[in-house]
Amino acid sequence: MKNLLPDAAAFRLTGRVWVEGATERFLGIGRLELLEHIQATGSISKAAVAMGMSYKRAWDLVQSLNAQAARPLVATQTGGKSGGGTVVTPEGEQALAEFRGIQARFQEFLAEETRRLRE
Amino acid sequence: MKNLLPDAAAFRLTGRVWVEGATERFLGIGRLELLEHIQATGSISKAAVAMGMSYKRAWDLVQSLNAQAARPLVATQTGGKSGGGTVVTPEGEQALAEFRGIQARFQEFLAEETRRLRE
DNA sequence: ATGGGTTATGTTTGGGCAAACATAACGGTG
DNA sequence: CACCGTTATGTTTGCCCAAACATAACCCAT
């Protein structure tokens, strides 16, 4: 590819991957980061603020996630002390760990292919 | 991941990759297919019809492609016998071949990771 | 010199999707 | 029992990007 490009160093292979269910998306990098923020803050609303997205959007993503999993990846509680909260379940942590692995290997793939297209 | 999913066989890893330049997208699966149709038909307009996209969109993609490459990947001719036409240059064929390779290796990556998340 | 099929290019319309907005429900706490 | 912060959920607005529409330019053939 190098000889086709005016500045090969400015080009790179990039992309996205996600786990897809029967009909809709299940888990990608966006949802992964959302889970991480929920884990860090214990709240969907705080996670949404941290990521600069609306609470509704974050909540919808959580719904989609839980609806497709055999058991909930996050557990929410409404009302009560400090209004409620949300925690990532052990299942959620496992999904987190597995997708982090996929993501890391994907980044390695992209880096390798970028090297190849520059040589 | 298997134990987290109600029907592991219905889930798979999927995704997209593309070569990105300094500012804009350079070459992805859509443009690849467009090049292939241009090669097969010798015409941007016929390729557009075959792919179910507007001529303008196809033409814009060709512009973007040629503008970013050191030398044109497709050569167009206006007017003349049968109104004109478009051919894929040797540089275009090389880009085609290289991106097909990337795409094939990417599909292999996805298949491997899908196997992994089902086990 | 007219017609035909293609490339070339600007303008307008439309549709889908995310953001924004608006409320209700919840349940400890003081 | 009123309050607070959070979850829960429906409705409306806005925006971006693609599709659709509209024309011009080109040049060989007849």
mmCIF file of all heavy atoms in Angstrom, chain B residues 70-109:
data_model
loop_
_atom_site.group_PDB
_atom_site.id
_atom_site.type_symbol
_atom_site.label_atom_id
_atom_site.label_comp_id
_atom_site.label_asym_id
_atom_site.label_seq_id
_atom_site.Cartn_x
_atom_site.Cartn_y
_atom_site.Cartn_z
ATOM 1 N N ALA B 70 -1.697 8.679 -4.029
ATOM 2 C CA ALA B 70 -0.609 9.367 -4.725
ATOM 3 C C ALA B 70 -0.924 9.454 -6.216
ATOM 4 O O ALA B 70 -0.672 10.465 -6.856
ATOM 5 C CB ALA B 70 0.705 8.635 -4.495
ATOM 6 N N ARG B 71 -1.480 8.388 -6.757
ATOM 7 C CA ARG B 71 -1.927 8.383 -8.149
ATOM 8 C C ARG B 71 -3.328 7.797 -8.181
ATOM 9 O O ARG B 71 -3.671 6.949 -7.354
ATOM 10 C CB ARG B 71 -0.977 7.543 -9.010
ATOM 11 C CG ARG B 71 0.491 7.984 -8.874
ATOM 12 C CD ARG B 71 1.370 7.176 -9.789
ATOM 13 N NE ARG B 71 0.681 6.926 -11.053
ATOM 14 C CZ ARG B 71 1.291 6.739 -12.215
ATOM 15 N NH1 ARG B 71 2.613 6.761 -12.260
ATOM 16 N NH2 ARG B 71 0.612 6.513 -13.315
ATOM 17 N N PRO B 72 -4.163 8.216 -9.150
ATOM 18 C CA PRO B 72 -5.572 7.791 -9.200
ATOM 19 C C PRO B 72 -5.744 6.272 -9.166
ATOM 20 O O PRO B 72 -4.978 5.545 -9.805
ATOM 21 C CB PRO B 72 -6.058 8.355 -10.533
ATOM 22 C CG PRO B 72 -5.131 9.453 -10.874
ATOM 23 C CD PRO B 72 -3.818 9.127 -10.249
ATOM 24 N N LEU B 73 -6.714 5.801 -8.417
ATOM 25 C CA LEU B 73 -7.034 4.372 -8.381
ATOM 26 C C LEU B 73 -8.016 4.018 -9.482
ATOM 27 O O LEU B 73 -8.102 2.865 -9.893
ATOM 28 C CB LEU B 73 -7.622 3.994 -7.017
ATOM 29 C CG LEU B 73 -6.748 4.300 -5.802
ATOM 30 C CD1 LEU B 73 -7.342 3.663 -4.551
ATOM 31 C CD2 LEU B 73 -5.315 3.824 -6.011
ATOM 32 N N VAL B 74 -8.784 4.999 -9.940
ATOM 33 C CA VAL B 74 -9.669 4.803 -11.080
ATOM 34 C C VAL B 74 -9.508 5.989 -12.020
ATOM 35 O O VAL B 74 -9.273 7.107 -11.581
ATOM 36 C CB VAL B 74 -11.154 4.655 -10.663
ATOM 37 C CG1 VAL B 74 -11.326 3.626 -9.569
ATOM 38 C CG2 VAL B 74 -11.728 5.978 -10.244
ATOM 39 N N ALA B 75 -9.604 5.710 -13.321
ATOM 40 C CA ALA B 75 -9.472 6.769 -14.330
ATOM 41 C C ALA B 75 -10.795 6.923 -15.045
ATOM 42 O O ALA B 75 -11.341 5.947 -15.565
ATOM 43 C CB ALA B 75 -8.363 6.410 -15.316
ATOM 44 N N THR B 76 -11.312 8.142 -15.060
ATOM 45 C CA THR B 76 -12.608 8.383 -15.688
ATOM 46 C C THR B 76 -12.421 9.105 -17.012
ATOM 47 O O THR B 76 -11.464 9.840 -17.212
ATOM 48 C CB THR B 76 -13.486 9.255 -14.772
ATOM 49 O OG1 THR B 76 -12.864 10.529 -14.618
ATOM 50 C CG2 THR B 76 -13.683 8.619 -13.424
ATOM 51 N N GLN B 77 -13.371 8.872 -17.901
ATOM 52 C CA GLN B 77 -13.357 9.561 -19.186
ATOM 53 C C GLN B 77 -14.769 10.042 -19.487
ATOM 54 O O GLN B 77 -15.723 9.268 -19.442
ATOM 55 C CB GLN B 77 -12.869 8.613 -20.291
ATOM 56 C CG GLN B 77 -12.663 9.340 -21.609
ATOM 57 C CD GLN B 77 -12.222 8.386 -22.702
ATOM 58 O OE1 GLN B 77 -12.240 7.173 -22.518
ATOM 59 N NE2 GLN B 77 -11.861 8.933 -23.860
ATOM 60 N N THR B 78 -14.886 11.345 -19.782
ATOM 61 C CA THR B 78 -16.218 11.901 -20.049
ATOM 62 C C THR B 78 -16.428 12.031 -21.545
ATOM 63 O O THR B 78 -15.502 12.320 -22.296
ATOM 64 C CB THR B 78 -16.378 13.284 -19.400
ATOM 65 O OG1 THR B 78 -15.715 14.247 -20.222
ATOM 66 C CG2 THR B 78 -15.775 13.315 -18.021
ATOM 67 N N GLY B 79 -17.672 11.829 -21.968
ATOM 68 C CA GLY B 79 -18.018 11.928 -23.369
ATOM 69 C C GLY B 79 -17.394 10.827 -24.202
ATOM 70 O O GLY B 79 -16.807 9.885 -23.690
ATOM 71 N N GLY B 80 -17.568 10.919 -25.510
ATOM 72 C CA GLY B 80 -16.970 9.941 -26.401
ATOM 73 C C GLY B 80 -17.862 8.744 -26.646
ATOM 74 O O GLY B 80 -19.045 8.761 -26.325
ATOM 75 N N LYS B 81 -17.257 7.707 -27.211
ATOM 76 C CA LYS B 81 -18.004 6.487 -27.535
ATOM 77 C C LYS B 81 -18.773 5.970 -26.316
ATOM 78 O O LYS B 81 -18.191 5.759 -25.272
ATOM 79 C CB LYS B 81 -17.026 5.415 -28.037
ATOM 80 C CG LYS B 81 -17.692 4.062 -28.273
ATOM 81 C CD LYS B 81 -16.727 3.093 -28.965
ATOM 82 C CE LYS B 81 -15.367 3.038 -28.283
ATOM 83 N NZ LYS B 81 -14.424 2.149 -28.992
ATOM 84 N N SER B 82 -20.039 5.792 -26.471
ATOM 85 C CA SER B 82 -20.913 5.311 -25.402
ATOM 86 C C SER B 82 -20.881 6.230 -24.182
ATOM 87 O O SER B 82 -21.125 5.806 -23.056
ATOM 88 C CB SER B 82 -20.549 3.882 -25.003
ATOM 89 O OG SER B 82 -19.408 3.870 -24.182
ATOM 90 N N GLY B 83 -20.547 7.477 -24.416
ATOM 91 C CA GLY B 83 -20.672 8.487 -23.374
ATOM 92 C C GLY B 83 -19.507 8.645 -22.430
ATOM 93 O O GLY B 83 -19.419 9.622 -21.719
ATOM 94 N N GLY B 84 -18.621 7.676 -22.428
ATOM 95 C CA GLY B 84 -17.479 7.745 -21.514
ATOM 96 C C GLY B 84 -17.337 6.452 -20.749
ATOM 97 O O GLY B 84 -17.825 5.421 -21.187
ATOM 98 N N GLY B 85 -16.679 6.506 -19.608
ATOM 99 C CA GLY B 85 -16.493 5.285 -18.829
ATOM 100 C C GLY B 85 -15.434 5.451 -17.768
ATOM 101 O O GLY B 85 -14.830 6.519 -17.640
ATOM 102 N N THR B 86 -15.244 4.419 -17.022
ATOM 103 C CA THR B 86 -14.306 4.462 -15.905
ATOM 104 C C THR B 86 -13.601 3.121 -15.793
ATOM 105 O O THR B 86 -14.235 2.072 -15.873
ATOM 106 C CB THR B 86 -15.059 4.752 -14.596
ATOM 107 O OG1 THR B 86 -15.733 6.007 -14.708
ATOM 108 C CG2 THR B 86 -14.103 4.807 -13.419
ATOM 109 N N VAL B 87 -12.283 3.172 -15.622
ATOM 110 C CA VAL B 87 -11.536 1.930 -15.431
ATOM 111 C C VAL B 87 -10.720 2.003 -14.147
ATOM 112 O O VAL B 87 -10.350 3.089 -13.697
ATOM 113 C CB VAL B 87 -10.569 1.662 -16.606
ATOM 114 C CG1 VAL B 87 -11.344 1.487 -17.892
ATOM 115 C CG2 VAL B 87 -9.551 2.767 -16.738
ATOM 116 N N VAL B 88 -10.481 0.837 -13.583
ATOM 117 C CA VAL B 88 -9.626 0.741 -12.407
ATOM 118 C C VAL B 88 -8.172 0.679 -12.882
ATOM 119 O O VAL B 88 -7.830 -0.148 -13.726
ATOM 120 C CB VAL B 88 -9.970 -0.511 -11.576
ATOM 121 C CG1 VAL B 88 -8.988 -0.703 -10.422
ATOM 122 C CG2 VAL B 88 -11.401 -0.401 -11.049
ATOM 123 N N THR B 89 -7.337 1.560 -12.361
ATOM 124 C CA THR B 89 -5.931 1.595 -12.774
ATOM 125 C C THR B 89 -5.149 0.461 -12.117
ATOM 126 O O THR B 89 -5.641 -0.182 -11.187
ATOM 127 C CB THR B 89 -5.288 2.922 -12.356
ATOM 128 O OG1 THR B 89 -5.250 2.979 -10.924
ATOM 129 C CG2 THR B 89 -6.063 4.111 -12.881
ATOM 130 N N PRO B 90 -3.928 0.210 -12.585
ATOM 131 C CA PRO B 90 -3.078 -0.786 -11.918
ATOM 132 C C PRO B 90 -2.929 -0.483 -10.424
ATOM 133 O O PRO B 90 -2.958 -1.398 -9.603
ATOM 134 C CB PRO B 90 -1.745 -0.642 -12.650
ATOM 135 C CG PRO B 90 -2.123 -0.159 -14.010
ATOM 136 C CD PRO B 90 -3.320 0.716 -13.818
ATOM 137 N N GLU B 91 -2.791 0.802 -10.083
ATOM 138 C CA GLU B 91 -2.712 1.170 -8.664
ATOM 139 C C GLU B 91 -3.989 0.755 -7.931
ATOM 140 O O GLU B 91 -3.939 0.276 -6.791
ATOM 141 C CB GLU B 91 -2.511 2.686 -8.517
ATOM 142 C CG GLU B 91 -1.125 3.184 -8.891
ATOM 143 C CD GLU B 91 -0.958 3.376 -10.396
ATOM 144 O OE1 GLU B 91 -1.939 3.150 -11.148
ATOM 145 O OE2 GLU B 91 0.141 3.749 -10.837
ATOM 146 N N GLY B 92 -5.115 0.953 -8.594
ATOM 147 C CA GLY B 92 -6.384 0.547 -8.004
ATOM 148 C C GLY B 92 -6.445 -0.951 -7.782
ATOM 149 O O GLY B 92 -6.913 -1.417 -6.743
ATOM 150 N N GLU B 93 -5.945 -1.685 -8.766
ATOM 151 C CA GLU B 93 -5.956 -3.149 -8.622
ATOM 152 C C GLU B 93 -5.072 -3.595 -7.466
ATOM 153 O O GLU B 93 -5.400 -4.533 -6.742
ATOM 154 C CB GLU B 93 -5.496 -3.802 -9.933
ATOM 155 C CG GLU B 93 -6.536 -3.661 -11.035
ATOM 156 C CD GLU B 93 -6.099 -4.359 -12.324
ATOM 157 O OE1 GLU B 93 -5.220 -5.236 -12.270
ATOM 158 O OE2 GLU B 93 -6.647 -4.010 -13.389
ATOM 159 N N GLN B 94 -3.960 -2.897 -7.302
ATOM 160 C CA GLN B 94 -3.075 -3.252 -6.189
ATOM 161 C C GLN B 94 -3.767 -2.982 -4.852
ATOM 162 O O GLN B 94 -3.740 -3.826 -3.939
ATOM 163 C CB GLN B 94 -1.781 -2.434 -6.280
ATOM 164 C CG GLN B 94 -0.768 -2.854 -5.212
ATOM 165 C CD GLN B 94 0.354 -1.824 -5.058
ATOM 166 O OE1 GLN B 94 0.659 -1.087 -5.986
ATOM 167 N NE2 GLN B 94 0.947 -1.797 -3.870
ATOM 168 N N ALA B 95 -4.425 -1.817 -4.734
ATOM 169 C CA ALA B 95 -5.152 -1.486 -3.506
ATOM 170 C C ALA B 95 -6.220 -2.535 -3.235
ATOM 171 O O ALA B 95 -6.399 -3.000 -2.103
ATOM 172 C CB ALA B 95 -5.781 -0.101 -3.619
ATOM 173 N N LEU B 96 -6.930 -2.909 -4.296
ATOM 174 C CA LEU B 96 -7.956 -3.947 -4.217
ATOM 175 C C LEU B 96 -7.380 -5.230 -3.641
ATOM 176 O O LEU B 96 -7.913 -5.814 -2.694
ATOM 177 C CB LEU B 96 -8.463 -4.196 -5.645
ATOM 178 C CG LEU B 96 -9.924 -4.424 -5.961
ATOM 179 C CD1 LEU B 96 -10.818 -3.472 -5.228
ATOM 180 C CD2 LEU B 96 -10.131 -4.286 -7.473
ATOM 181 N N ALA B 97 -6.279 -5.658 -4.210
ATOM 182 C CA ALA B 97 -5.670 -6.921 -3.786
ATOM 183 C C ALA B 97 -5.221 -6.844 -2.328
ATOM 184 O O ALA B 97 -5.469 -7.762 -1.541
ATOM 185 C CB ALA B 97 -4.484 -7.255 -4.690
ATOM 186 N N GLU B 98 -4.600 -5.741 -1.960
ATOM 187 C CA GLU B 98 -4.097 -5.638 -0.598
ATOM 188 C C GLU B 98 -5.224 -5.593 0.417
ATOM 189 O O GLU B 98 -5.159 -6.232 1.471
ATOM 190 C CB GLU B 98 -3.203 -4.394 -0.446
ATOM 191 C CG GLU B 98 -1.876 -4.533 -1.178
ATOM 192 C CD GLU B 98 -0.867 -3.483 -0.723
ATOM 193 O OE1 GLU B 98 -0.815 -3.167 0.484
ATOM 194 O OE2 GLU B 98 -0.137 -2.947 -1.586
ATOM 195 N N PHE B 99 -6.270 -4.835 0.087
ATOM 196 C CA PHE B 99 -7.354 -4.743 1.064
ATOM 197 C C PHE B 99 -8.129 -6.050 1.159
ATOM 198 O O PHE B 99 -8.627 -6.405 2.226
ATOM 199 C CB PHE B 99 -8.291 -3.582 0.759
ATOM 200 C CG PHE B 99 -9.193 -3.264 1.908
ATOM 201 C CD1 PHE B 99 -8.743 -2.504 2.973
ATOM 202 C CD2 PHE B 99 -10.488 -3.766 1.971
ATOM 203 C CE1 PHE B 99 -9.557 -2.234 4.070
ATOM 204 C CE2 PHE B 99 -11.310 -3.504 3.053
ATOM 205 C CZ PHE B 99 -10.847 -2.736 4.094
ATOM 206 N N ARG B 100 -8.209 -6.786 0.051
ATOM 207 C CA ARG B 100 -8.840 -8.107 0.118
ATOM 208 C C ARG B 100 -8.089 -8.985 1.112
ATOM 209 O O ARG B 100 -8.701 -9.731 1.878
ATOM 210 C CB ARG B 100 -8.829 -8.777 -1.259
ATOM 211 C CG ARG B 100 -9.954 -8.340 -2.176
ATOM 212 C CD ARG B 100 -10.194 -9.395 -3.254
ATOM 213 N NE ARG B 100 -10.983 -8.871 -4.358
ATOM 214 C CZ ARG B 100 -10.490 -8.493 -5.526
ATOM 215 N NH1 ARG B 100 -9.183 -8.586 -5.757
ATOM 216 N NH2 ARG B 100 -11.272 -8.022 -6.471
ATOM 217 N N GLY B 101 -6.784 -8.882 1.107
ATOM 218 C CA GLY B 101 -5.982 -9.661 2.053
ATOM 219 C C GLY B 101 -6.284 -9.271 3.483
ATOM 220 O O GLY B 101 -6.496 -10.137 4.348
ATOM 221 N N ILE B 102 -6.297 -7.972 3.741
ATOM 222 C CA ILE B 102 -6.609 -7.489 5.086
ATOM 223 C C ILE B 102 -7.970 -8.008 5.513
ATOM 224 O O ILE B 102 -8.145 -8.527 6.617
ATOM 225 C CB ILE B 102 -6.611 -5.944 5.111
ATOM 226 C CG1 ILE B 102 -5.182 -5.414 4.945
ATOM 227 C CG2 ILE B 102 -7.221 -5.428 6.407
ATOM 228 C CD1 ILE B 102 -5.097 -3.902 4.811
ATOM 229 N N GLN B 103 -8.936 -7.871 4.623
ATOM 230 C CA GLN B 103 -10.297 -8.279 4.921
ATOM 231 C C GLN B 103 -10.362 -9.782 5.238
ATOM 232 O O GLN B 103 -11.033 -10.193 6.185
ATOM 233 C CB GLN B 103 -11.184 -7.932 3.718
ATOM 234 C CG GLN B 103 -12.658 -8.077 3.956
ATOM 235 C CD GLN B 103 -13.210 -7.099 4.961
ATOM 236 O OE1 GLN B 103 -12.651 -6.029 5.176
ATOM 237 N NE2 GLN B 103 -14.303 -7.476 5.604
ATOM 238 N N ALA B 104 -9.653 -10.563 4.469
ATOM 239 C CA ALA B 104 -9.664 -12.012 4.690
ATOM 240 C C ALA B 104 -9.068 -12.347 6.049
ATOM 241 O O ALA B 104 -9.613 -13.169 6.797
ATOM 242 C CB ALA B 104 -8.887 -12.713 3.577
ATOM 243 N N ARG B 105 -7.946 -11.718 6.389
ATOM 244 C CA ARG B 105 -7.326 -11.994 7.691
ATOM 245 C C ARG B 105 -8.216 -11.507 8.830
ATOM 246 O O ARG B 105 -8.286 -12.133 9.887
ATOM 247 C CB ARG B 105 -5.947 -11.350 7.755
ATOM 248 C CG ARG B 105 -4.925 -12.017 6.839
ATOM 249 C CD ARG B 105 -3.509 -11.497 7.059
ATOM 250 N NE ARG B 105 -3.323 -10.126 6.612
ATOM 251 C CZ ARG B 105 -3.054 -9.761 5.356
ATOM 252 N NH1 ARG B 105 -2.948 -10.677 4.408
ATOM 253 N NH2 ARG B 105 -2.896 -8.491 5.041
ATOM 254 N N PHE B 106 -8.920 -10.404 8.600
ATOM 255 C CA PHE B 106 -9.836 -9.892 9.624
ATOM 256 C C PHE B 106 -10.981 -10.877 9.850
ATOM 257 O O PHE B 106 -11.349 -11.172 10.989
ATOM 258 C CB PHE B 106 -10.363 -8.517 9.205
ATOM 259 C CG PHE B 106 -11.360 -7.928 10.165
ATOM 260 C CD1 PHE B 106 -11.048 -7.770 11.512
ATOM 261 C CD2 PHE B 106 -12.606 -7.506 9.718
ATOM 262 C CE1 PHE B 106 -11.968 -7.212 12.403
ATOM 263 C CE2 PHE B 106 -13.523 -6.948 10.599
ATOM 264 C CZ PHE B 106 -13.207 -6.803 11.930
ATOM 265 N N GLN B 107 -11.544 -11.401 8.779
ATOM 266 C CA GLN B 107 -12.621 -12.380 8.915
ATOM 267 C C GLN B 107 -12.139 -13.611 9.676
ATOM 268 O O GLN B 107 -12.872 -14.184 10.484
ATOM 269 C CB GLN B 107 -13.168 -12.781 7.541
ATOM 270 C CG GLN B 107 -13.929 -11.667 6.824
ATOM 271 C CD GLN B 107 -15.117 -11.138 7.611
ATOM 272 O OE1 GLN B 107 -15.837 -11.888 8.247
ATOM 273 N NE2 GLN B 107 -15.295 -9.812 7.611
ATOM 274 N N GLU B 108 -10.901 -13.985 9.426
ATOM 275 C CA GLU B 108 -10.328 -15.131 10.139
ATOM 276 C C GLU B 108 -10.212 -14.820 11.628
ATOM 277 O O GLU B 108 -10.526 -15.652 12.486
ATOM 278 C CB GLU B 108 -8.955 -15.478 9.548
ATOM 279 C CG GLU B 108 -8.298 -16.688 10.179
ATOM 280 C CD GLU B 108 -9.278 -17.836 10.372
ATOM 281 O OE1 GLU B 108 -10.032 -18.188 9.437
ATOM 282 O OE2 GLU B 108 -9.300 -18.385 11.493
ATOM 283 N N PHE B 109 -9.789 -13.588 11.926
ATOM 284 C CA PHE B 109 -9.712 -13.146 13.325
ATOM 285 C C PHE B 109 -11.079 -13.233 13.994
ATOM 286 O O PHE B 109 -11.215 -13.772 15.097
ATOM 287 C CB PHE B 109 -9.181 -11.709 13.383
ATOM 288 C CG PHE B 109 -9.258 -11.068 14.737
ATOM 289 C CD1 PHE B 109 -8.279 -11.298 15.699
ATOM 290 C CD2 PHE B 109 -10.319 -10.228 15.059
ATOM 291 C CE1 PHE B 109 -8.351 -10.704 16.958
ATOM 292 C CE2 PHE B 109 -10.400 -9.636 16.320
ATOM 293 C CZ PHE B 109 -9.419 -9.876 17.267
#
